[in-house]
Amino acid sequence: MSLIDKVLSRRSIRAYAKKSIPTPVLDNILEAGRQAPSAGNRQPWHFIVVTDEETKEKLSWGRVNWFIKDAPLTIVGCATDAGNWSSMNTTIALQNMVIAAWAMGVGSCCLGAFKEGDVKRLLNIPDNWKVVALVTFGFPAEGENRFPENFQDMRERLTTKKPIEEIVSFNTYQAP
Ligand SMILES: Cc1cc2nc3c(=O)[nH]c(=O)nc-3n(C[C@H](O)[C@H](O)[C@H](O)COP(=O)(O)O)c2cc1C
């Protein structure tokens, strides 16, 4: 599959196979983050790879993040609190990881559902770092609906993409 097919076929994966991610695959995912662009090349990020079962359990407290405990690992993306672009840079690095992972068959889901204070305490993250996002990674569970039962009421909203004409205009802004 070509890279463009990989980018276009990526979808958030919330059901994971009970299979760990081989070290060379994880190394590539992390390297894809390391090679991401950043303003002034400041690389204002730190990534915590959470594999510990008890820690994953503690991170999975709610309806929209319960699958953290099922994923073999979750990467917690942190940004320095200095500089306007640090969160954006870190987000871009995480997305590089997401695409690299999918290119190797590893699914992921970006999570905004976290309590920053709790995550910082749990993972010993110093005060001068922000938590930007959590991203679960793992091989998709075979035959399982990537959209689990308890998400069905949100299915339409979470899976429908706006038409291209609505989100793009050329040269000047044009209302859809
Ligand atoms: C910043 C951000 C936060 C998100 N937070 C959550 C979340 O807390 N729980 C969840 O299940 N999905 C979360 N998602 C995944 C979105 O629901 C998903 O990207 C969206 O529905 C589009 O579906 P797709 O990724 O399959 O294309 C988040 C995505 C982004 C980019």
Side-chain angles (χ1 to χ4, degrees):
M1 210 191 256
S2 68
L3 179 59
I4 187 63
D5 290 332
K6 283 289 176 189
V7 171
L8 298 183
S9 66
R10 182 220 54 83
R11 288 295 173 266
S12 292
I13 300 296
R14 299 180 177 88
Y16 297 99
K18 288 194 188 326
K19 180 179 168 191
S20 59
I21 297 178
T23 304
V25 174
L26 175 60
D27 287 348
N28 276 336
I29 292 172
L30 296 172
E31 187 62 15
R34 192 170 81 93
Q35 296 298 340
S38 65
N41 199 26
R42 285 176 47 248
Q43 305 163 67
W45 46 53
H46 188 88
F47 305 103
I48 302 172
V49 182
V50 179
T51 56
D52 177 66
E53 295 299 332
E54 205 181 313
T55 310
K56 287 193 295 176
E57 195 77 42
K58 285 184 180 155
L59 290 171
S60 319
W61 46 264
R63 183 191 177 201
V64 292
N65 66 12
W66 88 97
F67 49 89
I68 292 175
K69 62 177 165 27
D70 303 331
L73 63 89
T74 290
I75 295 182
V76 178
C78 305
T80 60
D81 63 4
N84 292 338
W85 302 105
S86 64
S87 293
M88 186 192 285
N89 293 323
T90 304
T91 308
I92 289 170
L94 288 171
Q95 182 62 9
N96 253 26
M97 293 186 195
V98 162
I99 297 299
W102 190 229
M104 296 180 289
V106 174
S108 63
C109 186
C110 182
L111 292 167
F114 61 88
K115 295 177 183 156
E116 188 176 21
D118 291 354
V119 174
K120 286 180 78 164
R121 269 187 295 281
L122 186 64
L123 307 182
N124 278 332
I125 299 171
D127 283 348
N128 58 329
W129 287 87
K130 298 180 275 195
V131 180
V132 174
L134 276 54
V135 186
T136 52
F137 288 92
F139 292 99
E142 251 178 67
E144 262 199 66
N145 193 333
R146 72 179 176 85
F147 222 81
E149 209 48 50
N150 62 342
F151 260 57
Q152 290 303 326
D153 57 328
M154 295 191 273
R155 190 186 186 99
E156 178 85 0
R157 180 167 61 82
L158 295 186
T159 56
T160 307
K161 301 293 181 183
K162 293 180 179 176
I164 201 87
E165 312 76 52
E166 196 180 320
I167 59 168
V168 177
S169 53
F170 289 89
N171 299 315
T172 57
Y173 176 83
Q174 281 161 43

